[in-house]
């Protein structure tokens, strides 16, 4: 079997890749470089010059070749490698007529617990969305910020007392609404300095968050380690890390308890499996990052099914617009179903009572819907970040 063609398929705010073979088997993957998908598409074109004509089943060899060929890293490159790797694993599963996770060692579980995306630009919106998630049977909610998903066009200003005090009080209200049957995954989205993160974490620890995610920027592992040393809430981070080596370094510093590899960014299924094994050696659990399409979800589930140290799966919800539309673009209301992520694939995975059922479908288990490019034209993400009232840049 040989690779005959590679197609790049931009849809809405997603970038998919299909790998074609002379056996008639087609593999599907997705790039996680959602801010710079055009750059990632160009990297796919470069890698395609190597892959076409090769045996698609030599997955590890191809991963090593693409990962090491130029000695460059970065989101665009690793997003492209990830998309191609996922597609190769999809081909392998279809070739052997088994789910991809079967080729990774088989199932460790029959279903994967998920946390549902909950957001809002006001306290009332977030509270209502927590109630909705609870009514749908979810046992964990995430993307749950104590700072609100405010419009990036609005200049920001709060005193330290307001910033931290309001955030702590919001988490209190989240817990009151959720009760003790829903875990809260608190998303800080890298907007605090270490000193602020320590104060906030100490203020919310009595509400027992499942974890506090990205309390500060991911650039300095020592800063994350400092926070971890001074708080009692587990830290989750890793969505912006690209390589197994980076995860080794942050685990060595005891700066993370739940690693968050993005399967569409960290080297695909091959990279995520390596990272999960590293985390296992450190007694750390895995929460795959997944703000993307049902293709990303399906790829993540191959990891969730096959590793012993899986904890939770991020699940943005298939019947809603993409996370980049709802939380970044700010143009689509939470109740607007004119575009649903589920529409980009023929069939989504089944989510019931807060768990995704592990599918027995060969490969990763999903295929793109017909005419998806025409139905949902590609939309480049606008470059817009929030500014402080004094004109400086704010992390949000």
């Amino acid at each position: 079997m040989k690779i005959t063609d590679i197609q790049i398929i931009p849809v809405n705010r997603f970038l998919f890749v299909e790998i074609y073979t002379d056996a008639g088997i087609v593999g599907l993957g997705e790039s996680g470089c959602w801010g710079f998908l055009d750059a990632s598409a160009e990297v796919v074109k470069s890698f395609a010059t190597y892959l076409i004509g090769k045996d698609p089943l030599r997955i590890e060899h191809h991963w090593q070749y693409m990962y090491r060929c130029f000695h460059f890293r970065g989101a665009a490159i690793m997003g492209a490698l990830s998309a191609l790797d996922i597609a190769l694993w999809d081909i392998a599963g279809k070739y052997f007529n088994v789910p991809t996770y079967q080729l990774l060692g088989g199932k460790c579980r029959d279903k994967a617990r998920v946390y549902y995306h909950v957001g809002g630009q006001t306290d009332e919106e977030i509270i209502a969305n927590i109630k909705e998630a609870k009514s749908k049977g979810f046992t964990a909610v995430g993307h749950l910020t104590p700072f609100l998903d405010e419009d990036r066009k609005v200049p920001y200003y709060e005193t330290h007392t307001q910033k931290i005090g309001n955030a702590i009080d919001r988490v209190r209200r989240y817990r009151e609404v959720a009760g003790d049957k829903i875990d809260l995954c608190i998303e800080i989205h890298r907007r605090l300095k270490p000193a602020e993160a320590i104060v906030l974490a100490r203020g919310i620890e009595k509400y027992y968050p499942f974890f506090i995610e990205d309390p500060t920027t991911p650039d300095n592992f020592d800063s994350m380690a400092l926070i971890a040393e001074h708080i009692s809430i587990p830290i989750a981070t890793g969505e912006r890390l690209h390589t197994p080596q980076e995860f080794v370094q942050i685990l060595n510093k005891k700066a993370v308890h739940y690693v968050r590899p993005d399967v569409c960014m960290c080297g695909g299924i091959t990279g995520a499996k390596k990272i999960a094994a590293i985390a296992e050696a450190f007694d750390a659990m895995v929460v795959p990052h997944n703000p993307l399409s049902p293709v990303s979800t399906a790829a993540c589930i191959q990891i969730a099914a096959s590793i012993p140290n899986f904890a939770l799966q991020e699940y943005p919800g298939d019947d809603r617009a993409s996370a980049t539309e709802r939380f970044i673009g700010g143009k689509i209301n939470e109740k607007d179903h004119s575009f649903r992520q589920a529409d980009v694939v023929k069939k989504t995975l089944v989510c019931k009572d807060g768990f995704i059922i592990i599918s027995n479908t060969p490969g990763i288990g999903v295929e793109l819907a017909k005419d998806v490019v025409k139905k949902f034209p590609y939309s480049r993400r606008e470059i817009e970040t929030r500014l402080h009232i004094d004109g400086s840049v704010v992390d949000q």
Side-chain angles (χ1 to χ4, degrees), residues 65-76:
Y65 198 101
M66 291 185 287
Y67 182 74
R68 295 160 61 182
C69 62
F70 292 125
H71 309 289
F72 286 99
R73 302 289 181 264

Side-chain angles (χ1 to χ4, degrees), residues 111-306:
K111 55 185 180 180
R113 187 183 178 210
V114 304
Y115 76 75
Y116 189 61
H117 271 191
V118 169
Q121 294 190 355
T122 66
D123 293 345
E124 290 71 25
E125 283 183 14
I126 293 182
I127 294 298
N129 289 330
I130 292 174
K131 290 180 179 178
E132 181 184 20
K134 191 174 182 179
S135 70
K136 290 181 176 180
F138 290 100
T139 64
V141 292
H143 210 294
L144 183 62
T145 173
F147 298 108
L148 306 178
D149 296 300
E150 294 179 311
D151 193 327
R152 295 191 176 205
K153 293 183 176 65
V154 179
Y156 171 78
Y157 175 75
E158 284 181 300
T159 65
H160 173 79
T161 304
Q162 291 172 323
K163 181 178 182 179
I164 301 300
N166 291 341
I168 292 171
D169 191 59
R170 286 190 183 105
V171 176
R172 174 190 64 80
R173 294 182 65 190
Y174 299 163
R175 174 52 69 204
E176 288 178 353
V177 172
D180 62 2
K181 293 185 178 181
I182 293 184
D183 283 316
L184 306 178
C185 302
I186 301 300
E187 168 72 272
I188 306 302
H189 212 256
R190 60 174 168 69
R191 68 183 298 164
L192 299 177
K193 296 302 181 185
E196 295 176 308
I198 291 168
V199 174
L200 175 63
R202 288 178 173 176
I204 66 174
E205 65 180 31
K206 59 187 173 184
Y207 305 118
Y208 301 108
F210 195 93
F211 56 65
I212 185 168
E213 182 178 0
D214 288 340
T216 194
T217 55
D219 309 281
N220 189 329
F221 293 168
D222 289 332
S223 293
M224 201 72 77
L226 176 67
I227 297 169
E229 183 182 354
H230 288 87
I231 70 175
S232 300
I233 301 172
I235 288 178
T237 191
E239 67 185 65
R240 294 175 180 84
L241 306 184
H242 304 143
T243 68
Q245 290 81 359
E246 288 175 303
F247 282 91
V248 170
Q249 292 174 52
I250 198 167
L251 284 161
N252 262 327
K253 291 180 179 293
K254 300 179 181 179
V256 60
H257 307 89
Y258 292 97
V259 297
R260 304 228 49 211
D262 189 314
V263 179
C264 297
M265 177 63 67
C266 71
I269 290 171
T270 298
K273 192 71 161 60
K274 294 175 189 288
I275 291 162
I278 292 167
E280 182 185 359
F282 283 87
D283 291 323
M285 301 294 283
V286 178
V287 182
H289 181 244
N290 175 37
L292 302 171
S293 82
V295 177
S296 171
T297 301
C300 289
I301 290 301
Q302 308 310 308
I303 297 298
S306 61

Side-chain angles (χ1 to χ4, degrees), residues 25-86:
I25 299 173
V26 180
L28 173 63
E30 180 174 1
S31 171
C33 184
W34 53 264
F36 301 94
L37 293 176
D38 301 271
S40 198
E42 289 299 317
V43 179
V44 171
K45 292 178 183 178
S46 294
F47 284 148
T49 63
Y50 158 71
L51 284 172
I52 291 176
K54 301 295 193 301
D55 177 358
L57 299 181
R58 298 186 65 190
I59 300 174
E60 179 66 32
H61 176 73
H62 297 324
W63 192 92
Q64 294 291 338
Y65 198 101
M66 291 185 287
Y67 182 74
R68 295 160 61 182
C69 62
F70 292 125
H71 309 289
F72 286 99
R73 302 289 181 264
I77 296 172
M78 293 304 290
L81 190 157
S82 300
L84 293 165
D85 181 82
I86 293 166

Side-chain angles (χ1 to χ4, degrees), residues 6 12 36 43 70 103 153 206 243 247 272 340 349 361 379 385:
I6 294 176
N12 187 253
F36 301 94
V43 179
F70 292 125
L103 304 177
K153 293 183 176 65
K206 59 187 173 184
T243 68
F247 282 91
R340 303 182 313 147
L349 302 181
T361 304
S379 175
T385 197

